[in-house]
Amino acid sequence: MTHNPIEINGDCIDRLIKKLEKKIGTKEANKLKETAIEVVQNCVNVYSENFGIGDVGKNSKGIVGQLYKGQDPIPNGTTGLIYGRVQSGKTNTTIATLALAHENNFRCFIVLTSNNTWLGEQTANRFNNQIEGGPVIFDWEAWKEDPVNFAKTKITPYIRDTGVVLVTTKNISHLKRLLIVLKTAKVKNFPTLIFDDEADNASLNTNESKQAKHGKDVVPDSSTFVHIGEIRQEVANHIYIQVTATPQSLLLQKLSHPCSPQFCAALPEPGESYMGGELFFTEESKYCCIVDAEEINELKKQKGENPGNQWIIPDGLRFALCCFFLGSTYKMLSSDKEDATYSFLAHICYKQDIHNVLEKVISQFVINLDQAIRDKSSATKNKQAIKWLEQAYNELNKTADNLPPFNELIDELKIQLRRAIPKIINANNPDKEPNYNPGMNILIGGNRLGRGVTIEGLMVTYYGRDAKQKVMDTVHQHARMYGYRSQLKYVTRLFLPEHILDAFRSIHEADEAMRQAIGDDIDNIQIQPVWVGGDIPTRANVLDPSLIGVLAPGKMIFPQIPEYKKEEIEESFQQIELLLIDYDKDDQYYEVDIDFIIKIISYTKSHYITTEEWENKRIIKGLTDMKSNGMTKGRLNVRRGKRNNKEGLDMPRKEPFKWGGFGFGSGNWSIYAKKHYPDVPTLIICYQKGEKIKGWDDHPIYLPMLVLPKQKFVLMFNYAEDE
C-alpha cells in the first residue's frame, strides 16, 4: 500500500485530546490518538489509491479532483474495519479518527448508528460534546422536516469550509432523507468518510439466504442495505469504515461484497483499566460463579397467579444479589463520590413476562432481607440472612483485599438496602434508558440492555439467556460486564450456568483467534474461511447466522466424545493399525503428506457435541483447504506408551470438556510440535489400552489430537451444519 503523508496535529484533534486527557488520563488519550493516526493513515492511503493523490492527506485540497466513474456501483476496496472490543471505547476511537481526518481534509463525515433511538441520541450527543474547532455537527432531527432546505442553508455553507458531520440512525426514513440532503448539497464533490457503528447489525443484506433459494428477481435486497448502498454510490469518492467488536458476519461475506472489509483500519487495544474476556473466561477465573442451570428454568416457570405473593428466589440469584449488596455497600463506604452509581444486571430472557417475574422475585427478596437484618422479622430469618451475607462476604474476600469488617458492612446495609428497588428496562418502560439512582441499582431486561448499551457502574451480572443457537456475535454483544470499571474490579462478579460459561469461553477464544490472524497483516484481511457443508453461507438475518466458530491458529484440538465401544471401533481400529505399522518411535515427529493425516483421521470415530470444535468432516475439510492453498506436508507423532513398553497408554475415559487442555496425553507432546513445527499441522495420535477399569470397553483405541499451524489462516465453521 502506498504511504501518503498525513497531518497528525491541528486545532480539532488537539482540543479533543486535551479534553480526553482530563477524562481518561494522558496515557490513554495519547494511545487513542495513536490509533486515530493509524486509521487516518490507512484511510488516506486507500483513498489515494482508488481516487488519486491530492484530495486528502497533508497539503491536500479537500475537494474531489476526479469523480469516480468505475464499473462497480460502489468502488471496490473502499471498505475498512475498526475491530474494537466490546465496551472498549469504540465511540471515542471514532470521534478521534474523525477529528484527525478533518485535519486531513475529509470534508463530509457520515456516522451511521444503531436503529435504537436512545443509542443514536447518545452517540450524537457525544460527538456534539467532544468535537470543537472542526466540522459542524447535525443529527437526523435537523433534516427530518425539510431535507432540501436543510441542505441548502446548513450543508452548502459549511461543506467546503469547515466540513460537516451528519449523524443518523439506520432508520429507513432517516436514510432516505439523508440521501436527499447529500444530492441537494452535491456532497459527492467532497472527500467523504463514513463510519458505520455496529456495522454487522442491520447494515448487511438480510435477505441473502432467501435470495440464494428463490433468486434476486423474487426476493429484493433488504431495505437498510439498499439505502446505505445508495448513500455510498452518491458520495462515491469515500471510505466506508465498519466499526464493531463482532465482525464475523462481515468477514464471512464474499470478498467482492461491498460489506466485506478489504483492509483493517485498526485493531485498537483497550487501556490497562479495561476488563474483558480474559478476566471472566480463563479456566481459573475468580470473577465467575456457577449457578445451577435449572434455576433459570424455575424462575421462568413462576408466571401467572401467585396467591400470597410467595415468590421463590433460587440459590444462585440470591447469592448474586448478596454479593452485590455487600460489594456496593463496601464501595459506598470507601468512595469519595456520594452520588456514585452501582448496578446489578439480571438478563435471562427477552420476554417481558419473565422480566415481570424477576422484578417480583427480587423485590420480595430485598424486602425480606432488609427486614431480617434489621431484626424486623423472626430470629430464625435474621440468622438465615446473616448466613447468606457471610457466604457473599467470603466470596468477595477472594478478590478484595481490604474489605471492611463484616459487621461494619451490615450496619451500613441496614440503611442502604431498602433503596435497592428493581427496575425493568424493556419496551413497556416509558424510560428509554436506565434512570440511575445514587447507590444501588437493580436492572432487569433483555434486548434493550443488549448490543451497544453501557450499564453505568455495573458490578454484578446474573446472566441466563440461553438461546438454542448461541449466535457468536449476538452472545458476545451481551457481554455488558466488559468495560472500563477498574475501580469495581475486585467486587465484580458474573453469575451464570456452566454450559453458558463454556459458550462464552469458546466465543472469547474464537475472538482472540480472529484478532491474532488479522493482526499479522492488517492491510490484507482476505481471510479464507473453511466451512463444512459447501460454500460460505450468508445470513438469513443478522440474528441468525447459526453459531460461527473459529479454530485458533496454533491451537491443539481433539474430539470430546471419542467412540470406544468395541462394535463401534473394531473395524476402523484395524485400518489405523495398518496405516501406522511403520511409525513405531514415540518421540519421532515424522514428516508426512497432509493426505495421509486426512486418511488417518477419517478412520477415527467420535460423537459430536454442540459447541465442540472437533468434528471429523470439519477437520478434514480444513486440512483439505490448507492443502489446496499450497500446504502439502504435515507431521505425525504416534504415542504408544514408552514407559509401558509401547503396550498402550493408561488414560481413563472422561466426560466431555473434562479432559483438560492437553487432551489424551502429556502436554509436552503438543508443546514440542508447536515449538518445532509451527508452520504445519501435526497429528498426535495416542494408542490407549482401552481397559474397562478405566472406563473404556476392553478394546484398544487410537485417539487423535491435531495441532493447527500457527500462520495466516482462520478455520471458521457453522455449528448448525454439524448437528
Side-chain angles (χ1 to χ4, degrees):
M1 185 182 291
T2 306
H3 182 84
N4 297 279
I6 66 168
E7 292 284 356
I8 62 171
N9 294 300
D11 198 35
C12 187
I13 185 65
D14 293 345
R15 281 175 175 268
L16 174 65
I17 296 303
K18 283 182 181 178
K19 269 190 175 185
L20 291 173
E21 284 176 350
K22 295 176 182 177
K23 290 184 178 181
I24 62 177
T26 301
K27 183 177 179 181
E28 295 299 332
N30 287 330
K31 188 174 182 180
L32 197 64
K33 184 178 178 181
E34 289 173 7
T35 300
I37 290 171
E38 180 183 6
V39 177
V40 173
Q41 182 68 73
N42 282 327
C43 289
V44 168
N45 290 345
V46 172
Y47 183 100
S48 299
E49 281 191 0
N50 281 277
F51 309 117
I53 296 171
D55 294 3
V56 295
K58 196 167 187 175
N59 301 320
S60 58
K61 296 176 182 177
I63 300 174
V64 169
Q66 186 172 350
L67 287 171
Y68 170 74
K69 294 180 180 178
Q71 292 183 345
D72 297 320
I74 296 172
N76 189 32
T78 56
T79 301
L81 172 68
I82 294 179
Y83 187 2
R85 294 179 187 267
V86 174
Q87 299 278 31
S88 67
K90 294 186 295 298
T91 303
N92 272 345
T93 299
T94 304
I95 293 171
T97 299
L98 189 152
L100 188 61
H102 169 265
E103 311 294 358
N104 285 275
N105 282 322
F106 281 94
R107 276 295 167 262
C108 179
F109 302 93
I110 299 171
V111 181
L112 306 174
T113 77
S114 165
N115 200 19
N116 180 321
T117 303
W118 161 31
L119 286 176
E121 290 173 349
Q122 193 180 70
T123 300
N125 288 336
R126 289 184 66 179
F127 276 85
N128 251 320
N129 294 336
Q130 292 184 246
I131 294 289
E132 292 179 351
V136 183
I137 301 165
F138 303 97
D139 66 34
W140 65 93
E141 292 291 340
W143 64 78
K144 185 175 181 181
E145 297 300 325
D146 190 348
V148 172
N149 184 62
F150 169 79
K152 291 177 179 178
T153 61
K154 298 294 192 295
I155 302 301
T156 301
Y158 283 114
I159 186 73
R160 185 186 297 267
D161 179 16
T162 63
V164 296
V165 178
L166 303 170
V167 182
T168 180
T169 68
K170 299 175 195 176
N171 176 285
I172 291 170
S173 62
H174 297 159
L175 294 173
K176 285 181 177 179
R177 293 187 183 100
L178 175 59
L179 183 61
I180 295 172
V181 170
L182 299 173
K183 286 183 176 180
T184 304
K186 297 182 179 178
V187 172
K188 65 182 179 182
N189 294 314
F190 302 92
T192 299
L193 188 54
I194 303 174
F195 296 99
D196 190 345
D197 191 29
E198 307 293 1
D200 57 315
N201 179 246
S203 300
L204 292 169
N205 181 12
T206 58
N207 288 339
E208 291 247 16
S209 83
K210 289 180 183 177
Q211 291 172 339
K213 292 179 181 178
H214 307 293
K216 281 203 171 193
D217 294 338
V218 177
V219 182
D221 292 340
S222 57
S223 296
T224 304
F225 172 73
V226 167
H227 293 306
I228 292 175
E230 288 173 347
I231 287 169
R232 294 186 66 182
Q233 290 175 53
E234 176 59 28
V235 291
N237 292 55
H238 74 278
I239 298 295
Y240 177 69
I241 299 296
Q242 300 166 320
V243 185
T244 185
T246 52
Q248 285 75 21
S249 57
L250 302 175
L251 293 166
L252 292 174
Q253 301 299 309
K254 294 177 181 177
L255 296 179
S256 59
H257 196 284
C259 289
S260 175
Q262 300 297 303
F263 68 98
C264 190
L267 283 161
E269 283 300 313
E272 294 176 0
S273 60
Y274 177 73
M275 298 191 303
E278 68 285 346
L279 182 73
F280 299 101
F281 303 128
T282 54
E283 289 289 340
E284 304 298 327
S285 173
K286 295 179 180 179
Y287 298 89
C288 274
C289 298
I290 301 299
V291 303
D292 189 335
E294 187 55 34
E295 78 171 48
I296 306 295
N297 295 325
E298 291 302 320
L299 277 168
K300 293 179 179 179
K301 289 176 183 176
Q302 294 187 66
K303 294 189 292 186
E305 295 294 322
N306 192 333
N309 203 36
Q310 294 301 308
W311 301 94
I312 300 169
I313 186 164
D315 293 347
L317 178 56
R318 183 187 65 226
F319 188 28
L321 285 163
C322 287
C323 285
F324 171 66
F325 296 147
L326 288 186
S328 54
T329 301
Y330 160 51
K331 296 306 295 184
M332 281 187 269
L333 286 172
S334 59
S335 176
D336 295 332
K337 298 180 180 178
E338 293 185 2
D339 60 347
T341 292
Y342 308 103
S343 298
F344 175 98
L345 172 61
H347 187 152
I348 68 169
C349 187
Y350 67 92
K351 295 181 179 179
Q352 294 172 4
D353 54 354
I354 303 301
H355 302 161
N356 294 329
V357 169
L358 260 177
E359 189 275 330
K360 291 178 171 64
V361 169
I362 294 173
S363 290
Q364 180 178 288
F365 176 66
V366 171
I367 292 169
N368 293 345
L369 187 69
D370 172 56
Q371 292 177 342
I373 63 175
R374 291 188 295 111
D375 292 316
K376 298 297 182 180
S377 53
S378 68
T380 301
K381 289 183 178 178
N382 174 269
K383 185 177 179 180
Q384 182 66 77
I386 295 301
K387 181 180 178 182
W388 289 335
L389 290 165
E390 283 177 339
Q391 291 171 343
Y393 185 84
N394 292 334
E395 171 62 32
L396 295 178
N397 244 334
K398 295 176 182 178
T399 53
D401 296 331
N402 300 311
L403 279 181
F406 178 72
N407 290 337
E408 185 179 330
L409 289 178
I410 296 301
D411 287 342
E412 183 66 19
L413 185 60
K414 291 176 182 177
I415 298 169
Q416 300 292 342
L417 185 54
R418 74 199 75 166
R419 300 171 60 198
I421 301 172
K423 303 168 189 175
I424 297 175
I425 309 296
N426 61 24
N428 285 339
N429 191 325
D431 294 328
K432 294 179 181 178
E433 57 184 295
N435 183 19
Y436 297 100
N437 295 324
M440 299 180 194
N441 293 267
I442 300 174
L443 307 179
I444 299 164
N447 292 342
R448 186 162 279 192
L449 294 177
R451 176 185 284 265
V453 176
T454 299
I455 307 299
E456 189 175 330
L458 181 59
M459 183 179 291
V460 175
T461 302
Y462 181 81
Y463 187 90
R465 187 159 176 181
D466 189 16
K468 290 181 180 179
Q469 288 188 329
K470 295 176 180 62
V471 179
M472 183 171 183
D473 45 7
T474 306
V475 173
H476 205 164
Q477 288 286 0
H478 286 170
R480 298 301 99 200
M481 73 289 295
Y482 290 13
Y484 290 98
R485 294 185 301 277
S486 59
Q487 75 281 9
L488 301 179
K489 175 180 177 180
Y490 301 107
V491 287
T492 291
R493 289 294 185 276
L494 170 61
F495 289 80
L496 72 177
E498 187 168 17
H499 71 285
I500 299 180
L501 173 60
D502 288 338
F504 263 121
R505 188 172 283 147
S506 64
I507 286 168
H508 168 67
E509 187 177 89
D511 183 54
E512 292 303 309
M514 181 79 77
R515 291 175 192 278
Q516 178 185 340
I518 292 175
D520 291 339
D521 181 11
I522 68 169
D523 294 330
N524 180 12
I525 54 174
Q526 296 187 2
I527 292 172
Q528 177 63 49
V530 174
W531 283 87
V532 176
D535 296 334
I536 301 172
T538 49
R539 304 168 69 173
N541 56 62
V542 291
L543 296 180
D544 187 23
S546 297
L547 180 58
I548 297 166
V550 182
L551 297 183
K555 186 177 181 182
M556 193 268 284
I557 57 175
F558 53 90
Q560 294 293 331
I561 311 180
E563 291 184 5
Y564 67 96
K565 295 289 187 181
K566 182 177 180 180
E567 64 269 18
E568 294 176 327
I569 65 170
E570 192 170 20
E571 184 177 342
S572 60
F573 174 82
Q574 297 299 329
Q575 296 292 337
I576 299 175
E577 282 271 79
L578 291 173
L579 291 174
L580 299 181
I581 192 168
D582 294 328
Y583 300 90
D584 57 356
K585 295 180 181 178
D586 272 37
D587 295 329
Q588 185 73 35
Y589 289 74
Y590 301 92
E591 184 177 57
V592 296
D593 291 339
I594 280 188
D595 281 338
F596 189 61
I597 292 175
I598 290 171
K599 193 169 186 179
I600 296 169
I601 290 175
S602 70
Y603 287 117
T604 64
K605 305 291 182 181
S606 61
H607 297 284
Y608 175 73
I609 182 172
T610 304
T611 77
E612 181 183 357
E613 294 173 320
W614 184 284
E615 195 280 335
N616 274 38
K617 289 187 299 178
R618 178 190 302 158
I619 302 306
I620 289 171
K621 176 73 165 62
L623 290 168
T624 302
D625 199 79
M626 288 182 214
K627 180 190 169 190
S628 68
N629 284 302
M631 187 182 294
T632 59
K633 299 290 183 180
R635 292 281 166 168
L636 173 66
N637 178 228
V638 184
R639 295 283 173 172
R640 294 187 173 89
K642 199 173 180 181
R643 296 178 182 175
N644 296 339
N645 296 318
K646 299 185 181 180
E647 294 177 0
L649 301 165
D650 295 313
M651 174 166 275
R653 189 173 64 85
K654 298 181 182 180
E655 294 300 310
F657 305 109
K658 301 296 183 183
W659 295 94
F662 296 118
F664 310 122
S666 167
N668 292 329
W669 305 343
S670 59
I671 291 171
Y672 184 90
K674 292 176 185 180
K675 181 178 179 181
H676 292 88
Y677 309 107
D679 297 326
V680 298
T682 298
L683 177 65
I684 302 171
I685 191 152
C686 304
Y687 176 79
Q688 301 284 351
K689 291 180 181 178
E691 297 169 314
K692 186 158 283 190
I693 194 172
K694 297 285 188 177
W696 305 99
D697 196 31
D698 277 339
H699 190 284
I701 183 173
Y702 281 101
L703 302 175
M705 305 189 300
L706 183 66
V707 180
L708 298 169
K710 189 175 182 179
Q711 60 168 267
K712 174 72 175 177
F713 81 100
V714 171
L715 296 180
M716 294 180 176
F717 51 88
N718 181 330
Y719 282 117
E721 293 285 353
D722 303 318
E723 293 173 358

